[in-house]
mmCIF file of all heavy atoms in Angstrom:
data_model
loop_
_atom_site.group_PDB
_atom_site.id
_atom_site.type_symbol
_atom_site.label_atom_id
_atom_site.label_comp_id
_atom_site.label_asym_id
_atom_site.label_seq_id
_atom_site.Cartn_x
_atom_site.Cartn_y
_atom_site.Cartn_z
ATOM 1 N N PRO A 688 -25.913 29.457 -11.248
ATOM 2 C CA PRO A 688 -24.826 29.509 -10.261
ATOM 3 C C PRO A 688 -24.788 30.902 -9.612
ATOM 4 O O PRO A 688 -25.012 31.928 -10.238
ATOM 5 C CB PRO A 688 -23.562 29.238 -11.041
ATOM 6 C CG PRO A 688 -24.010 28.554 -12.280
ATOM 7 C CD PRO A 688 -25.361 29.130 -12.615
ATOM 8 N N SER A 689 -24.438 30.930 -8.332
ATOM 9 C CA SER A 689 -24.212 32.189 -7.636
ATOM 10 C C SER A 689 -22.798 32.696 -8.029
ATOM 11 O O SER A 689 -21.857 31.910 -8.103
ATOM 12 C CB SER A 689 -24.312 32.011 -6.132
ATOM 13 O OG SER A 689 -25.567 31.534 -5.752
ATOM 14 N N GLN A 690 -22.701 34.011 -8.181
ATOM 15 C CA GLN A 690 -21.416 34.633 -8.503
ATOM 16 C C GLN A 690 -20.929 35.472 -7.339
ATOM 17 O O GLN A 690 -21.679 36.282 -6.800
ATOM 18 C CB GLN A 690 -21.535 35.460 -9.778
ATOM 19 C CG GLN A 690 -22.040 34.703 -10.986
ATOM 20 C CD GLN A 690 -21.152 33.511 -11.333
ATOM 21 O OE1 GLN A 690 -19.938 33.571 -11.250
ATOM 22 N NE2 GLN A 690 -21.796 32.398 -11.694
ATOM 23 N N PHE A 691 -19.671 35.293 -6.955
ATOM 24 C CA PHE A 691 -19.108 35.962 -5.795
ATOM 25 C C PHE A 691 -17.971 36.914 -6.197
ATOM 26 O O PHE A 691 -17.138 36.582 -7.073
ATOM 27 C CB PHE A 691 -18.508 34.953 -4.801
ATOM 28 C CG PHE A 691 -19.511 34.230 -3.962
ATOM 29 C CD1 PHE A 691 -20.396 33.298 -4.515
ATOM 30 C CD2 PHE A 691 -19.616 34.506 -2.614
ATOM 31 C CE1 PHE A 691 -21.327 32.639 -3.729
ATOM 32 C CE2 PHE A 691 -20.542 33.815 -1.822
ATOM 33 C CZ PHE A 691 -21.385 32.908 -2.362
ATOM 34 N N LYS A 692 -17.957 38.036 -5.527
ATOM 35 C CA LYS A 692 -16.764 38.897 -5.509
ATOM 36 C C LYS A 692 -16.340 39.016 -4.063
ATOM 37 O O LYS A 692 -17.116 39.472 -3.208
ATOM 38 C CB LYS A 692 -17.045 40.245 -6.122
ATOM 39 C CG LYS A 692 -17.332 40.205 -7.659
ATOM 40 C CD LYS A 692 -17.538 41.591 -8.224
ATOM 41 C CE LYS A 692 -17.775 41.508 -9.741
ATOM 42 N NZ LYS A 692 -17.991 42.871 -10.336
ATOM 43 N N ASN A 693 -15.124 38.569 -3.750
ATOM 44 C CA ASN A 693 -14.643 38.467 -2.388
ATOM 45 C C ASN A 693 -13.510 39.450 -2.138
ATOM 46 O O ASN A 693 -12.534 39.497 -2.923
ATOM 47 C CB ASN A 693 -14.141 37.055 -2.115
ATOM 48 C CG ASN A 693 -15.156 35.996 -2.502
ATOM 49 O OD1 ASN A 693 -16.123 35.765 -1.837
ATOM 50 N ND2 ASN A 693 -14.919 35.328 -3.651
ATOM 51 N N TYR A 694 -13.604 40.236 -1.055
ATOM 52 C CA TYR A 694 -12.574 41.223 -0.706
ATOM 53 C C TYR A 694 -12.152 40.896 0.754
ATOM 54 O O TYR A 694 -12.994 40.635 1.604
ATOM 55 C CB TYR A 694 -13.103 42.634 -0.781
ATOM 56 C CG TYR A 694 -13.672 43.025 -2.114
ATOM 57 C CD1 TYR A 694 -14.997 42.684 -2.420
ATOM 58 C CD2 TYR A 694 -12.920 43.706 -3.070
ATOM 59 C CE1 TYR A 694 -15.557 43.045 -3.656
ATOM 60 C CE2 TYR A 694 -13.476 44.081 -4.279
ATOM 61 C CZ TYR A 694 -14.801 43.747 -4.568
ATOM 62 O OH TYR A 694 -15.319 44.077 -5.799
ATOM 63 N N ASP A 695 -10.839 40.962 1.016
ATOM 64 C CA ASP A 695 -10.342 40.604 2.316
ATOM 65 C C ASP A 695 -9.089 41.426 2.646
ATOM 66 O O ASP A 695 -8.191 41.551 1.795
ATOM 67 C CB ASP A 695 -10.002 39.131 2.370
ATOM 68 C CG ASP A 695 -9.699 38.635 3.768
ATOM 69 O OD1 ASP A 695 -8.502 38.755 4.203
ATOM 70 O OD2 ASP A 695 -10.633 38.199 4.461
ATOM 71 N N VAL A 696 -9.049 41.977 3.858
ATOM 72 C CA VAL A 696 -7.844 42.635 4.387
ATOM 73 C C VAL A 696 -7.560 42.013 5.743
ATOM 74 O O VAL A 696 -8.454 41.920 6.588
ATOM 75 C CB VAL A 696 -8.079 44.163 4.506
ATOM 76 C CG1 VAL A 696 -6.812 44.796 5.064
ATOM 77 C CG2 VAL A 696 -8.459 44.774 3.175
ATOM 78 N N ARG A 697 -6.293 41.633 5.950
ATOM 79 C CA ARG A 697 -5.923 41.007 7.190
ATOM 80 C C ARG A 697 -4.590 41.519 7.671
ATOM 81 O O ARG A 697 -3.589 41.536 6.900
ATOM 82 C CB ARG A 697 -5.882 39.470 7.043
ATOM 83 C CG ARG A 697 -5.268 38.755 8.248
ATOM 84 C CD ARG A 697 -5.271 37.234 8.091
ATOM 85 N NE ARG A 697 -6.578 36.697 8.349
ATOM 86 C CZ ARG A 697 -6.788 35.422 8.756
ATOM 87 N NH1 ARG A 697 -5.747 34.632 8.971
ATOM 88 N NH2 ARG A 697 -7.992 34.999 8.949
ATOM 89 N N ALA A 698 -4.481 41.916 8.953
ATOM 90 C CA ALA A 698 -3.233 42.291 9.563
ATOM 91 C C ALA A 698 -2.877 41.268 10.604
ATOM 92 O O ALA A 698 -3.720 40.869 11.409
ATOM 93 C CB ALA A 698 -3.330 43.686 10.193
ATOM 94 N N GLU A 699 -1.558 40.797 10.597
ATOM 95 C CA GLU A 699 -1.148 39.729 11.478
ATOM 96 C C GLU A 699 0.135 40.179 12.200
ATOM 97 O O GLU A 699 1.096 40.584 11.583
ATOM 98 C CB GLU A 699 -0.851 38.459 10.681
ATOM 99 C CG GLU A 699 -2.055 37.915 9.909
ATOM 100 C CD GLU A 699 -1.685 36.763 9.004
ATOM 101 O OE1 GLU A 699 -0.599 36.842 8.343
ATOM 102 O OE2 GLU A 699 -2.468 35.813 8.915
ATOM 103 N N TRP A 700 0.083 40.057 13.543
ATOM 104 C CA TRP A 700 1.237 40.334 14.379
ATOM 105 C C TRP A 700 1.656 39.037 15.080
ATOM 106 O O TRP A 700 0.808 38.443 15.753
ATOM 107 C CB TRP A 700 0.978 41.411 15.414
ATOM 108 C CG TRP A 700 0.798 42.794 14.845
ATOM 109 C CD1 TRP A 700 1.765 43.736 14.645
ATOM 110 C CD2 TRP A 700 -0.430 43.381 14.411
ATOM 111 N NE1 TRP A 700 1.221 44.902 14.150
ATOM 112 C CE2 TRP A 700 -0.125 44.711 13.949
ATOM 113 C CE3 TRP A 700 -1.762 42.932 14.305
ATOM 114 C CZ2 TRP A 700 -1.109 45.569 13.484
ATOM 115 C CZ3 TRP A 700 -2.727 43.799 13.839
ATOM 116 C CH2 TRP A 700 -2.408 45.105 13.416
ATOM 117 N N PHE A 701 2.916 38.645 15.007
ATOM 118 C CA PHE A 701 3.411 37.456 15.678
ATOM 119 C C PHE A 701 4.606 37.870 16.573
ATOM 120 O O PHE A 701 5.580 38.436 16.049
ATOM 121 C CB PHE A 701 3.826 36.405 14.699
ATOM 122 C CG PHE A 701 2.703 35.886 13.853
ATOM 123 C CD1 PHE A 701 2.446 36.426 12.608
ATOM 124 C CD2 PHE A 701 1.863 34.885 14.320
ATOM 125 C CE1 PHE A 701 1.431 35.968 11.825
ATOM 126 C CE2 PHE A 701 0.835 34.429 13.559
ATOM 127 C CZ PHE A 701 0.577 34.960 12.298
ATOM 128 N N PHE A 702 4.491 37.633 17.861
ATOM 129 C CA PHE A 702 5.508 38.087 18.799
ATOM 130 C C PHE A 702 6.443 36.944 19.180
ATOM 131 O O PHE A 702 6.099 35.768 19.039
ATOM 132 C CB PHE A 702 4.814 38.639 20.046
ATOM 133 C CG PHE A 702 3.867 39.758 19.762
ATOM 134 C CD1 PHE A 702 2.540 39.492 19.486
ATOM 135 C CD2 PHE A 702 4.287 41.085 19.795
ATOM 136 C CE1 PHE A 702 1.643 40.532 19.183
ATOM 137 C CE2 PHE A 702 3.420 42.112 19.537
ATOM 138 C CZ PHE A 702 2.092 41.847 19.222
ATOM 139 N N SER A 703 7.601 37.287 19.716
ATOM 140 C CA SER A 703 8.647 36.323 20.001
ATOM 141 C C SER A 703 8.257 35.347 21.108
ATOM 142 O O SER A 703 8.723 34.215 21.205
ATOM 143 C CB SER A 703 9.953 37.002 20.388
ATOM 144 O OG SER A 703 9.764 37.836 21.507
ATOM 145 N N ASN A 704 7.386 35.792 22.015
ATOM 146 C CA ASN A 704 6.937 34.951 23.119
ATOM 147 C C ASN A 704 5.732 34.118 22.773
ATOM 148 O O ASN A 704 5.017 33.625 23.635
ATOM 149 C CB ASN A 704 6.633 35.816 24.361
ATOM 150 C CG ASN A 704 5.494 36.812 24.075
ATOM 151 O OD1 ASN A 704 5.039 36.922 22.960
ATOM 152 N ND2 ASN A 704 5.091 37.496 25.132
ATOM 153 N N SER A 705 5.479 33.944 21.486
ATOM 154 C CA SER A 705 4.403 33.115 20.928
ATOM 155 C C SER A 705 3.034 33.864 20.968
ATOM 156 O O SER A 705 2.020 33.278 20.539
ATOM 157 C CB SER A 705 4.237 31.787 21.636
ATOM 158 O OG SER A 705 3.588 31.882 22.863
ATOM 159 N N ASP A 706 2.963 35.096 21.454
ATOM 160 C CA ASP A 706 1.744 35.828 21.368
ATOM 161 C C ASP A 706 1.460 36.215 19.926
ATOM 162 O O ASP A 706 2.362 36.330 19.098
ATOM 163 C CB ASP A 706 1.849 37.134 22.215
ATOM 164 C CG ASP A 706 1.870 36.852 23.711
ATOM 165 O OD1 ASP A 706 1.713 35.674 24.079
ATOM 166 O OD2 ASP A 706 2.055 37.799 24.467
ATOM 167 N N SER A 707 0.185 36.428 19.633
ATOM 168 C CA SER A 707 -0.177 36.837 18.277
ATOM 169 C C SER A 707 -1.466 37.635 18.289
ATOM 170 O O SER A 707 -2.267 37.516 19.221
ATOM 171 C CB SER A 707 -0.333 35.596 17.362
ATOM 172 O OG SER A 707 -1.410 34.783 17.791
ATOM 173 N N LEU A 708 -1.651 38.405 17.253
ATOM 174 C CA LEU A 708 -2.862 39.193 17.092
ATOM 175 C C LEU A 708 -3.173 39.264 15.605
ATOM 176 O O LEU A 708 -2.291 39.562 14.800
ATOM 177 C CB LEU A 708 -2.717 40.599 17.682
ATOM 178 C CG LEU A 708 -3.904 41.562 17.448
ATOM 179 C CD1 LEU A 708 -5.140 41.072 18.154
ATOM 180 C CD2 LEU A 708 -3.531 43.002 17.888
ATOM 181 N N THR A 709 -4.442 38.977 15.258
ATOM 182 C CA THR A 709 -4.905 39.058 13.866
ATOM 183 C C THR A 709 -6.183 39.812 13.800
ATOM 184 O O THR A 709 -7.082 39.574 14.610
ATOM 185 C CB THR A 709 -5.118 37.627 13.293
ATOM 186 O OG1 THR A 709 -3.880 36.889 13.367
ATOM 187 C CG2 THR A 709 -5.550 37.705 11.845
ATOM 188 N N VAL A 710 -6.246 40.739 12.852
ATOM 189 C CA VAL A 710 -7.450 41.540 12.629
ATOM 190 C C VAL A 710 -7.800 41.472 11.161
ATOM 191 O O VAL A 710 -6.926 41.730 10.311
ATOM 192 C CB VAL A 710 -7.257 43.003 13.050
ATOM 193 C CG1 VAL A 710 -8.551 43.813 12.776
ATOM 194 C CG2 VAL A 710 -6.864 43.135 14.537
ATOM 195 N N SER A 711 -9.033 41.075 10.834
ATOM 196 C CA SER A 711 -9.454 40.897 9.431
ATOM 197 C C SER A 711 -10.732 41.679 9.206
ATOM 198 O O SER A 711 -11.593 41.759 10.096
ATOM 199 C CB SER A 711 -9.696 39.446 9.118
ATOM 200 O OG SER A 711 -8.528 38.660 9.321
#
Side-chain angles (χ1 to χ4, degrees):
S689 302
Q690 303 303 319
F691 282 71
K692 291 183 179 179
N693 309 283
Y694 305 83
D695 189 273
V696 180
R697 169 178 283 205
E699 301 173 318
W700 290 268
F701 297 95
F702 302 88
S703 59
N704 62 353
S705 79
D706 290 355
S707 64
L708 174 65
T709 301
V710 179
S711 302

